[in-house]
Amino acid sequence: MARLEIGQIIAVLKEKLPEAVSEEVLDGVDPVIVVKAEQWAAVAELCRDDSRLGFDLLSCITGVDYPEREEGAEIEVIYNLDSTANLHELTVKVKLPRSDPRVASVEGTWATADWHERETYDLVGVIFEGHHNLVRILCADDWVGHPLRKDYEPPDSFHGIKNVIY
Amino acid sequence: MTEAKIRTEEMLLNMGPQHPSTHGVFRVVVRTDGELILESQSHIGYLHRCFEKCAEGNNYLQVVPYTDRMDYLCAMMNNWGYAASIEKLTGIEVPERAEYIRVIVAELNRVASHLLAFGTYGLDIGAITPFLYAFRDRERILKIFEKLCGQRLNYSYVRIGGVTFDMTDEILSDIEAFCDYFDPKIIDEYDNLLSYNGIFISRTANVGVIPADLAISYGVTGPSLRGSGVPRDLRRDAPYGIYDRLEFDVPVGSGEMGQVGDCWDRYMVRMREMRQSIRLVRQAIKDIPDGPFCDKKAFRGVKPKAGETYKKVEGARGEVGFYVVSDGTNIPYRVKARAPSFCNISILDKLTSMSDVMLADLVAIIGSLDIVLGEVDR
Amino acid sequence: MNLAVFTTFLGQAGQAIEEKVIEKGIVDFAADYSTKWDGGGEGGLFLAGAVRWLVETYTVPDWVPLSSVINGTLGAETFPELGGLLITIGMVFGFVNIFAIGAVWSERKVSAHMQCRLGPMEVGPHGLLQTVADGLKLLTKEDIIPRLADKTLFAIAPAVVFAGVLMRFVPLPFGDQLIASDLDLGLFFVAAVGAVEVLGVIMAGWASNNKWSLFATIRTATQMVSYEIPIGIAFVTVILCCGSFSLVDVVNMQGGTLTDIDGEAHNGWAWHWNLFRNPFMLILAITYFIASLAECKRAPFDLPEAESELVSGFHTEYTGMRFALFFLAEYAAMYLVAAVAVVLFLGGWWSGIYWVDEIGMGTDTWLASWLDGVLGPTLTAVLGVLIKVKVFLTKAFILVFIQMWVRWTLPRVRLDQMMYVCWKVLLPASLVCLIGSCLWELATGGASFFGFGIVVK
């Protein structure tokens, strides 16, 4: 058990799942790996279970909406993984088509994903397949739309409460 | 009367959104069999103020006050977490003095936050007096902050590139006086009053036990995780600021009064952390250098290159993280806040289904997780 | 109203009382005129007796409204009976109210000073009138009955609770001769009527149609029914040792001039209190005190109104004066259990100093004779009564203070722990004390341990 550099982490991932990592962005502020959506569940399991990786803590799930990408409108779901034993971290991205953003749920891998995925569904509108209770968490149950989509228009009123913009 | 004629019924009980012990507008629907809780279902979102949406409409500097209002009990750490993420994104160098000031205010704020957790926890268990003792001492810290930045709760003091105001020698001596007053006399007093009280121990020991692996799986961080015996502290494990130069211990729960990871352990980690925070403040005051307290240029506005980063700091409740995406303008493209309370409280439903929890224990568990609803809902 | 007439009347009445008292001696006077109306020669409120005698002696003056009705219809026969009763009720009620006002104020002050604050400071000197102001506020508040509540039960529940507490004041002495009615089964009455209060609380919680109140109701039922048992055993032990159910008899066994089994008189001192009667009594007194905390729903046994768990327990839905009645009842119950503890264990009105106790009792001690010489017999007798009242109330108030002290120090126990304390700690302990006390009495023939072997008759 030791702290691994990003290159070593990618090597471990590629060793077990050679096809999973589609892209490595190592020149940014944080090194990021992009994982194919259909492989994400397997990668997650590997990240948690492989003792060299040992990513036992899922810190954060972020959904980002990119409606005007050159390669087509996309939604990125970003997972920040952390290892409490090995003290290294990893940022994993999954790129989903904006028209039908679907990715496997990882709540079986990290229980905390339950609420994080609900939040991402609520605010960005990503469908996490296999989630046992994918309902809104922050907004009201009958809220319409996903507020953090870039083309979101706030409603004029909600149950008689007017949307007043000062 | 035969036994068959006696019928018992389970009861659905709605705890919250307005309830004295949910520490805000948090709602738990519990299915009870008498006093025993069979199942619970947490509902959040009553305090949702669209922090992330607001952040997309304001420039980088204007977002700072919103971060105050997430975890309003330790606003300094939220400010710091946000500022640190933007600094990481833009590569701004923070002056040495500002780093020291940040440590001082953050640790004081941690003490203030833990004091409130201690006081309200006493209140949850039914002891009212510790609450007022805690507020008496928290008041001293708030007075210092008021002197420092004119605010008692929502400081917006730690900003991108430094801190808002310089720390005068007078305030430094105030802080030193507070440290001498507070540690060890006052914390010992708290321990005598509540921590080692027989009834308190019997109410909290062996209640709401969170095993370490479960805690990590549920993303529990901060004192709640350390209470389960996992020595994870970002100040030591992923040092930011000048924490790598300072000496401090990371207290963890050891099951002194019951099992590892029970409510008493989580409570006690906070009590012990207060001593460590005072220790850190003393070291920082001793070493604080002269010099500028901010990057003046950054104060006028920042415009990071396109890129994204995740930066985490150790807040009073756990890992405060900010995932910031920049598109090269002066307005963030996306800011995602990782709120520790949000993850910590998600374990509640699991805890109630895992073991026999009574209604009074539920209150004890919620209190020991020390949530701030402003942060859960953002 | 004509003030002059009134003052003349008062002056006349005062003079008449004084003459009568000098003629008969205050003890006889009180005994004479207070026992008539409750028939059994069991003692009674001194003041009630005085008023009764006044009414018998004087006709009501003309300026009093309805004087002709009182003088004519009710006459000297019925009015004193009714009047004495009303006055007794009035005095007990008045005492409860005034005590509650004082106790709420002192609870606030005690808690405040324990918590490094000042407490109420605005209304009156040191906030003395704060409770009065709060009472006025509660009086003027809207009386809300929830739409889906059981309206009848909801409305009468506070009255039942309050009546349950108030009734227990009947056999409770406030001092020598100062008692509403010295029932033969006084202690039994206190224990039995206590159940009425539980009933009221259950009514309140059930009728509120609130799940939190319902929880509180269940908790109350379990708690108060359970804790009546250790309390009952404490009563039984004292009854066995003292040989009487009457609270006055129990007190009289603990001080003043004690007559032993051979008819010889002994001086009663503090070590003749039941507390020191035998070693078991000391433990019993502690179990009684703990159980009494639970009985009057005080911390650490305040589960029925655990504000951090059950919002406000059984009175969540109550407002205004109905809520105030619960409040009054709680404080009255605090005094009541403390006063019963004083009667049972702490020597009642006996100060524990023989010479002080004998002031105004007609005994010839050096202090009494000296006071007789200085003040005269009447004033000495009055002084004696006042000292006893003062001693009794002081002891009770000290216990009430300890109740407050405990409340502002300790956290709350959980329901199962509360039951554990009752059934597995207090009950066996008090049973041991009961059996131990019995054996002790048998072995010593009734002699007390610390009382140097006086076998009290």
Side-chain angles (χ1 to χ4, degrees):
Chain A
M1 304 266 250
R3 192 183 181 120
L4 299 185
E5 294 306 316
I6 180 70
Q8 294 167 298
I9 293 172
I10 295 168
V12 172
L13 285 175
K14 280 193 170 159
E15 176 193 318
K16 290 277 173 65
L17 295 163
E19 299 297 310
V21 181
S22 63
E23 200 182 330
E24 299 158 22
V25 189
L26 302 180
D27 55 346
V29 186
D30 286 342
V32 174
I33 60 167
V34 182
V35 168
K36 287 176 188 154
E38 58 275 13
Q39 294 267 11
W40 165 232
V43 172
E45 291 265 321
L46 177 67
C47 283
R48 186 193 62 178
D49 294 337
D50 191 293
S51 62
R52 285 168 294 177
L53 301 176
F55 288 114
D56 47 3
L57 179 69
L58 172 66
S59 282
C60 187
I61 298 180
T62 313
V64 190
D65 182 25
Y66 294 102
E68 287 154 11
R69 277 253 162 107
E70 288 158 15
E71 56 268 39
E74 268 183 337
I75 285 181
E76 287 181 356
V77 182
I78 299 139
Y79 298 82
N80 294 98
L81 308 182
D82 208 323
S83 169
T84 55
N86 301 341
L87 303 181
H88 49 226
E89 53 191 66
L90 178 66
T91 310
V92 181
K93 248 185 207 181
V94 180
K95 292 187 175 175
L96 309 170
R98 194 168 185 273
S99 53
D100 183 28
R102 281 175 188 279
V103 66
S105 166
V106 287
E107 66 160 341
T109 315
W110 297 285
T112 183
D114 178 359
W115 280 27
H116 279 294
E117 285 175 356
R118 276 175 68 188
E119 188 192 329
T120 311
Y121 161 74
D122 187 358
L123 300 180
V124 191
V126 179
I127 311 285
F128 291 91
E129 286 173 327
H131 191 288
H132 78 288
N133 180 29
L134 195 66
V135 293
R136 289 182 183 275
I137 187 166
L138 293 178
C139 296
D141 285 346
D142 53 352
W143 193 264
V144 180
H146 301 286
L148 289 182
R149 292 271 182 112
K150 290 292 173 188
D151 55 357
Y152 175 76
E153 287 292 328
D156 291 335
S157 73
F158 182 68
H159 289 297
I161 309 164
K162 274 208 182 111
N163 180 10
V164 185
I165 298 168
Y166 293 99
Chain B
M1 195 190 289
T2 56
E3 204 179 323
K5 282 184 186 163
I6 305 171
R7 197 167 54 94
T8 60
E9 221 173 84
E10 286 165 0
M11 190 155 86
L12 267 188
L13 193 64
N14 205 352
M15 188 167 165
Q18 272 85 35
H19 186 280
S21 294
T22 51
H23 294 225
V25 278
F26 173 59
R27 172 169 162 238
V28 201
V29 180
V30 288
R31 196 157 59 80
T32 63
D33 176 13
E35 288 268 333
L36 215 61
I37 289 174
L38 304 172
E39 197 185 15
S40 76
Q41 172 90 54
S42 310
H43 293 272
I44 63 167
Y46 293 92
L47 207 60
H48 182 47
R49 290 150 302 171
C50 330
F51 161 70
E52 288 163 21
K53 188 79 186 164
C54 291
E56 290 174 16
N58 290 289
N59 69 36
Y60 283 97
L61 297 186
Q62 287 168 330
V63 174
V64 175
Y66 285 102
T67 63
D68 285 331
R69 281 144 184 88
M70 282 169 36
D71 183 352
Y72 41 79
L73 296 179
C74 64
M76 291 291 186
M77 270 85 103
N78 289 323
N79 293 163
W80 194 353
Y82 174 73
S85 62
I86 307 300
E87 282 153 12
K88 190 174 166 193
L89 203 58
T90 46
I92 294 173
E93 281 289 318
V94 181
E96 188 84 331
R97 186 175 172 82
E99 291 283 21
Y100 275 87
I101 295 175
R102 282 181 178 188
V103 168
I104 294 170
V105 294
E107 293 307 319
L108 275 182
N109 207 182
R110 192 187 309 277
V111 172
S113 171
H114 283 355
L115 275 177
L116 195 117
F118 154 77
T120 51
Y121 198 46
L123 215 55
D124 289 344
I125 303 296
I128 299 162
T129 303
F131 181 68
L132 287 129
Y133 277 46
F135 264 62
R136 174 194 68 188
D137 299 326
R138 182 170 172 266
E139 189 63 28
R140 285 173 176 250
I141 300 177
L142 297 193
K143 283 258 164 65
I144 290 170
F145 284 155
E146 198 176 355
K147 219 176 199 177
L148 183 63
C149 59
Q151 285 286 342
R152 289 164 57 84
L153 273 185
N154 300 317
Y155 313 107
S156 299
Y157 178 67
V158 180
R159 293 196 192 164
I160 303 158
V163 293
T164 323
F165 304 104
D166 197 7
M167 192 170 266
T168 60
D169 289 344
E170 189 199 342
I171 295 170
L172 277 177
S173 64
D174 279 359
I175 295 172
E176 266 183 320
F178 171 78
C179 292
D180 293 341
Y181 156 83
F182 189 69
D183 183 45
K185 184 177 148 273
I186 294 294
I187 308 183
D188 287 346
E189 184 181 298
Y190 293 158
D191 282 347
N192 286 334
L193 183 64
L194 194 65
S195 311
Y196 295 104
N197 179 300
I199 297 178
F200 181 74
I201 290 170
S202 68
R203 278 295 306 277
T204 51
N206 292 323
V207 169
V209 180
I210 309 180
D213 54 340
L214 190 76
I216 294 171
S217 172
Y218 270 89
V220 175
T221 47
S224 301
L225 178 63
R226 293 193 281 275
S228 296
V230 183
R232 181 173 192 270
D233 190 325
L234 293 175
R235 290 173 291 174
R236 195 190 58 184
D237 294 347
Y240 53 97
I242 52 153
Y243 277 113
D244 46 357
R245 292 182 225 165
L246 304 173
E247 271 181 28
F248 65 103
D249 298 327
V250 179
V252 291
S254 57
E256 261 169 84
M257 297 296 164
Q259 298 175 51
V260 180
D262 58 12
C263 289
W264 193 86
D265 272 348
R266 286 195 285 281
Y267 160 86
M268 207 55 200
V269 162
R270 291 194 185 92
M271 300 306 285
R272 292 184 176 140
E273 258 178 32
M274 283 201 270
R275 293 178 199 267
Q276 298 303 326
S277 291
I278 295 291
R279 198 172 149 198
L280 283 166
V281 171
R282 282 188 172 133
Q283 291 175 45
I285 290 179
K286 206 171 97 235
D287 296 345
I288 189 166
D290 286 335
F293 59 92
C294 66
D295 183 339
K296 286 249 160 58
K297 208 163 134 265
F299 267 35
R300 284 195 287 273
V302 286
K303 208 173 190 182
K305 302 192 294 286
E308 50 200 88
T309 186
Y310 179 72
K311 181 71 185 169
K312 56 198 176 184
V313 298
E314 183 74 25
R317 278 158 195 83
E319 176 181 331
V320 177
F322 284 90
Y323 197 93
V324 184
V325 182
S326 160
D327 58 354
T329 63
N330 66 345
I331 290 172
Y333 187 77
R334 173 87 165 91
V335 177
K336 157 87 192 189
R338 190 259 188 214
S341 297
F342 177 83
C343 307
N344 292 0
I345 197 62
S346 69
I347 202 171
L348 183 71
D349 296 347
K350 177 73 180 169
L351 283 182
T352 51
S353 63
M354 221 166 59
S355 54
D356 283 351
V357 173
M358 297 180 82
L359 196 63
D361 293 337
L362 184 68
V363 171
I365 292 171
I366 295 177
S368 76
L369 289 170
D370 185 25
I371 51 166
V372 168
L373 265 297
E375 186 182 56
V376 174
D377 297 339
R378 279 156 288 146
Chain C
M1 185 196 296
N2 188 334
L3 195 68
V5 174
F6 185 64
T7 36
T8 323
F9 171 74
L10 272 187
Q12 279 178 2
Q15 207 182 347
I17 291 178
E18 205 183 322
E19 280 166 13
K20 200 75 184 170
V21 167
I22 291 165
E23 182 194 321
K24 303 193 79 170
I26 192 154
V27 178
D28 287 345
F29 168 81
D32 192 15
Y33 284 99
S34 60
T35 51
K36 275 185 186 168
W37 53 266
D38 75 18
E42 294 155 333
L45 284 169
F46 165 73
L47 262 175
V51 171
R52 179 205 141 92
W53 173 79
L54 257 180
V55 175
E56 267 185 11
T57 316
Y58 283 85
T59 47
V60 179
D62 291 342
W63 49 264
V64 175
L66 300 174
S67 60
S68 59
V69 180
I70 294 168
N71 289 330
T73 327
L74 292 168
E77 285 307 309
T78 34
F79 177 73
E81 297 296 323
L82 197 66
L85 203 61
L86 287 176
I87 287 161
T88 314
I89 293 170
M91 287 191 64
V92 170
F93 195 76
F95 173 80
V96 168
N97 279 294
I98 291 167
F99 169 78
I101 287 174
V104 171
W105 177 80
S106 47
E107 172 118 58
R108 286 173 171 181
K109 280 293 185 187
V110 166
S111 66
H113 288 292
M114 283 179 181
Q115 295 164 347
C116 324
R117 25 181 209 106
L118 291 173
M121 288 296 281
E122 294 296 322
V123 192
H126 279 264
L128 261 172
L129 298 174
Q130 182 66 49
T131 325
V132 180
D134 284 349
L136 282 175
K137 180 200 75 177
L138 285 171
L139 268 174
T140 54
K141 281 218 166 178
E142 187 190 354
D143 177 29
I144 300 169
I145 299 181
R147 196 159 49 84
L148 293 174
D150 185 330
K151 292 192 177 52
T152 327
L153 283 184
F154 187 86
I156 62 171
V160 172
V161 170
F162 191 60
V165 176
L166 206 59
M167 269 154 74
R168 288 149 89 188
F169 276 85
V170 169
L172 190 74
F174 290 89
D176 198 9
Q177 300 292 338
L178 283 173
I179 184 165
S181 180
D182 180 16
L183 303 177
D184 287 341
L185 286 175
L187 279 170
F188 184 73
F189 184 83
V190 169
V193 170
V196 174
E197 195 196 338
V198 189
L199 188 70
V201 172
I202 292 174
M203 279 161 69
W206 175 259
S208 297
N209 191 25
N210 177 325
K211 285 176 180 174
W212 299 106
S213 302
L214 186 65
F215 261 103
T217 303
I218 299 162
R219 285 182 175 190
T220 315
T222 46
Q223 173 172 335
M224 294 178 85
V225 170
S226 309
Y227 276 85
E228 266 167 19
I229 295 166
I231 289 180
I233 291 174
F235 283 6
V236 168
T237 315
V238 172
I239 290 163
L240 274 170
C241 292
C242 293
S244 172
F245 278 89
S246 156
L247 282 87
V248 173
D249 285 355
V250 170
V251 174
N252 278 328
M253 301 282 276
Q254 302 180 52
T257 304
L258 298 165
T259 320
D260 72 12
I261 220 139
D262 304 322
E264 216 171 302
H266 294 270
N267 300 348
W269 295 90
W271 49 84
H272 293 105
W273 293 356
N274 274 347
L275 186 65
F276 309 116
R277 193 180 176 97
N278 63 46
F280 300 104
M281 281 289 191
L282 267 168
I283 306 166
L284 195 69
I286 294 165
T287 60
Y288 172 79
F289 183 74
I290 295 172
S292 74
L293 285 179
E295 181 73 5
C296 55
K297 308 187 285 287
R298 293 287 295 185
F301 303 103
D302 57 344
L303 291 105
E305 47 199 281
E307 69 286 331
S308 61
E309 294 157 26
L310 302 183
V311 189
S312 197
F314 61 88
H315 53 59
T316 305
E317 300 286 349
Y318 280 88
T319 55
M321 226 24 225
R322 289 186 208 281
F323 169 73
L325 272 183
F326 282 122
F327 220 65
L328 273 181
E330 186 186 326
Y331 281 88
M334 272 168 75
Y335 172 79
L336 192 115
V337 294
V340 170
V342 170
V343 167
L344 292 183
F345 301 106
L346 296 175
W349 53 77
W350 303 115
S351 65
I353 304 161
Y354 177 68
W355 306 305
V356 176
D357 288 338
E358 287 302 307
I359 294 170
M361 297 293 283
T363 328
D364 196 25
T365 63
W366 63 271
L367 190 60
S369 333
W370 178 73
L371 277 174
D372 263 359
V374 178
L375 299 171
T378 313
L379 277 180
T380 311
V382 171
L383 188 67
V385 171
L386 287 182
I387 286 175
K388 289 187 176 62
V389 174
K390 184 81 189 159
V391 165
F392 191 90
L393 291 184
T394 307
K395 285 178 188 173
F397 289 167
I398 287 171
L399 287 185
V400 169
F401 170 75
I402 294 174
Q403 290 178 354
M404 292 176 181
W405 186 6
V406 167
R407 173 170 177 189
W408 299 108
T409 309
L410 294 181
R412 186 185 307 112
V413 298
R414 206 168 52 204
L415 186 74
D416 55 330
Q417 292 160 352
M418 184 269 289
M419 299 301 275
Y420 180 92
V421 171
C422 177
W423 293 101
K424 291 195 173 169
V425 181
L426 293 185
L427 185 63
S430 51
L431 273 174
V432 166
C433 290
L434 170 66
I435 295 162
S437 293
C438 290
L439 294 176
W440 187 276
E441 295 288 314
L442 275 179
T444 61
S448 60
F449 176 59
F450 301 100
F452 307 109
I454 298 178
V455 182
V456 181
K457 193 178 173 184

